[in-house]
Amino acid sequence: MSNLTLHFNVSGDDFTRAGEASGAVKKTLKDLGFSHEIVRNVVIALYEAEINLVIHAGGGEIDVEIAPDCISMVLTDHGPGIPDVALAMKEGYSTAPDNVRALGFGAGMGLPNIKKYTDEMIIDSKVGEGTTMYLKVYPR
């Protein structure tokens, strides 16, 4: 299998389309024969990150590179940035507004879940400029 690259644009505040990128990646990974565990890990992490683009960043872009030995995901936005990444990583911490919480999102588990389901997670965030998140899952 040669490497496969996928690109997605994610609209901000559009909860009707949230999850389209992670859904497409799920189908692709299944079609390529990746194990259920790897598909689950990638999709949970990517969905959580995708929802964060919708809720907090006004949208963004997702690039996924699928190789036999590594699934890499890069999520980029030009949102407000994360002032305190360590605080944002704490389970239960959320800056989601009430209208988002009313939809069932914003419980403060997004970033902790992303970390839990990936092998590598790097967050590069600058307040007022945006955030880039680098995620990797290694099939075993």
Side-chain angles (χ1 to χ4, degrees), residues 84-102:
D84 186 339
V85 173
L87 180 60
M89 290 297 300
K90 292 185 187 266
E91 289 186 13
Y93 178 79
S94 177
T95 60
D98 289 340
N99 65 314
V100 169
R101 290 174 191 244

Side-chain angles (χ1 to χ4, degrees), residues 45-78:
L46 188 56
Y47 179 78
E48 293 282 13
E50 185 177 358
I51 286 296
N52 280 349
L53 289 176
V54 174
I55 293 172
H56 300 289
E61 296 183 12
I62 299 173
D63 290 293
V64 179
E65 183 176 355
I66 302 168
D69 60 343
C70 182
I71 300 155
S72 300
M73 298 156 274
V74 179
L75 295 94
T76 307
D77 70 61
H78 301 290

Side-chain angles (χ1 to χ4, degrees), residues 23-130:
V25 170
K26 178 180 181 178
K27 181 183 182 327
T28 301
L29 293 174
K30 282 181 159 184
D31 290 348
L32 291 171
F34 282 91
S35 73
H36 171 75
E37 178 185 6
I38 294 302
V39 173
R40 182 196 69 212
N41 290 355
V42 168
V43 171
I44 289 172
L46 188 56
Y47 179 78
E48 293 282 13
E50 185 177 358
I51 286 296
N52 280 349
L53 289 176
V54 174
I55 293 172
H56 300 289
E61 296 183 12
I62 299 173
D63 290 293
V64 179
E65 183 176 355
I66 302 168
D69 60 343
C70 182
I71 300 155
S72 300
M73 298 156 274
V74 179
L75 295 94
T76 307
D77 70 61
H78 301 290
I82 304 170
D84 186 339
V85 173
L87 180 60
M89 290 297 300
K90 292 185 187 266
E91 289 186 13
Y93 178 79
S94 177
T95 60
D98 289 340
N99 65 314
V100 169
R101 290 174 191 244
L103 295 172
F105 300 102
M109 292 303 295
L111 292 178
N113 277 339
I114 294 167
K115 184 164 182 60
K116 177 179 178 181
Y117 288 101
T118 57
D119 295 306
E120 291 182 28
M121 174 185 184
I122 298 170
I123 298 174
D124 180 16
S125 190
K126 293 178 180 57
V127 174
E129 293 182 27

